[in-house]
């Protein structure tokens, strides 16, 4: 009986030591994760409130504009998917997204950095169209839903022609990629 008691006591003690070490390891992991989270700046979604938006005409390719979003906030922000664009005040639907331009990862903008989207305004295959003087821009959230308020930008040269073939790229981390398609 005494041998059995010693065996149970040693087994119980060993289990308690293993449990205690596991608990200490778990607490250390939680503390390390908490410290890393507290030390790292939180990343927010890019919106019209924390970015400066500009639109410029480019010489090549023809019938293209370049939309630039610069992070003016104090925290990094994610430029999700692609911008929702409204070409002209009377637009009935947003400009289509060019699905083939999906980047490998979400574009993250540190304060002062920019993301770019290329805009094809028209092609010979497009139908209808009109010269538009403004471009409405709304950011998307991680699920592709429109967020925040629309920012209305004045288009160059007192207006740009848009037709049904107009498309916009997903956000890119450089202008060259945004205009490459």
């Amino acid at each position: 009986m005494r041998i059995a008691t010693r065996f149970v006591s040693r087994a119980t003690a060993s289990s308690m030591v293993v449990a205690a070490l596991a608990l200490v390891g778990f607490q250390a992991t939680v503390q390390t994760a908490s410290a890393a989270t507290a030390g790292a700046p939180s990343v927010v979604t890019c919106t019209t409130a924390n970015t400066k938006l500009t639109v410029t005409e480019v010489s090549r390719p023809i019938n293209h504009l370049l939309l630039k979003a610069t992070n003016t906030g104090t925290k990094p922000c994610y430029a999700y998917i692609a911008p929702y664009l409204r070409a002209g005040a009377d637009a009935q639907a947003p400009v289509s997204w060019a699905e083939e331009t999906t980047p490998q990862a979400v574009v993250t903008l540190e304060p002062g950095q920019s993301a770019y989207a290329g805009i094809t305004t028209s092609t010979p295959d497009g139908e209808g169209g009109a010269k538009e003087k403004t471009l409405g821009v709304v950011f998307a959230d991680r699920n592709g839903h429109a967020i925040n308020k629309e920012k209305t930008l004045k288009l160059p040269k007192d207006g740009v022609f848009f037709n049904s073939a107009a498309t916009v790229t997903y956000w890119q981390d450089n202008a060259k990629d945004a205009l490459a398609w």
Side-chain angles (χ1 to χ4, degrees):
M1 180 93 164
R2 188 170 183 209
I3 295 173
T5 305
R6 247 191 232 165
F7 179 72
V8 172
S9 298
R10 284 185 186 167
T12 304
S14 295
S15 297
M16 290 172 68
V17 169
V18 170
L21 290 175
L23 181 59
V24 169
F26 176 74
Q27 287 175 335
T29 303
V30 170
Q31 288 172 348
T32 304
S34 296
T37 303
S42 59
V43 181
V44 298
T45 300
C46 295
T47 67
T48 56
N50 63 7
T51 61
K52 176 184 179 187
L53 292 165
T54 57
V55 62
T56 55
E57 188 173 35
V58 295
S59 58
R60 292 188 188 261
I62 61 169
N63 300 331
H64 276 68
L65 299 171
L66 182 65
L67 180 64
K68 179 179 175 182
T70 304
N71 182 351
T72 58
T74 58
K75 296 179 179 182
C77 70
Y78 290 130
Y80 288 111
I81 309 176
Y84 284 97
L85 301 181
R86 185 169 57 88
D90 298 329
Q92 298 296 311
V95 172
S96 298
W97 292 344
E99 298 293 333
E100 65 274 14
T101 65
T102 305
Q104 292 293 317
V106 173
V107 177
T108 304
L109 302 180
E110 294 294 329
Q113 287 185 327
S114 299
Y116 304 86
I119 304 166
T120 302
T121 59
S122 62
T123 69
D125 297 336
E127 297 177 8
K131 185 175 181 180
E132 303 298 346
K133 296 184 181 212
T134 62
L135 182 70
V137 181
V138 176
F139 282 89
D141 66 12
R142 71 181 331 158
N143 298 315
H145 300 114
I147 58 166
N148 206 274
K149 295 181 181 176
E150 178 180 287
K151 173 76 175 180
T152 302
L153 304 174
K154 185 176 178 183
L155 289 168
K157 294 186 179 178
D158 199 34
V160 174
F161 183 79
F162 282 82
N163 69 15
S164 66
T167 56
V168 61
T169 67
Y170 278 56
W171 288 113
Q172 306 294 320
D173 62 6
N174 65 79
K176 183 179 176 185
D177 287 347
L179 295 171
W181 58 280

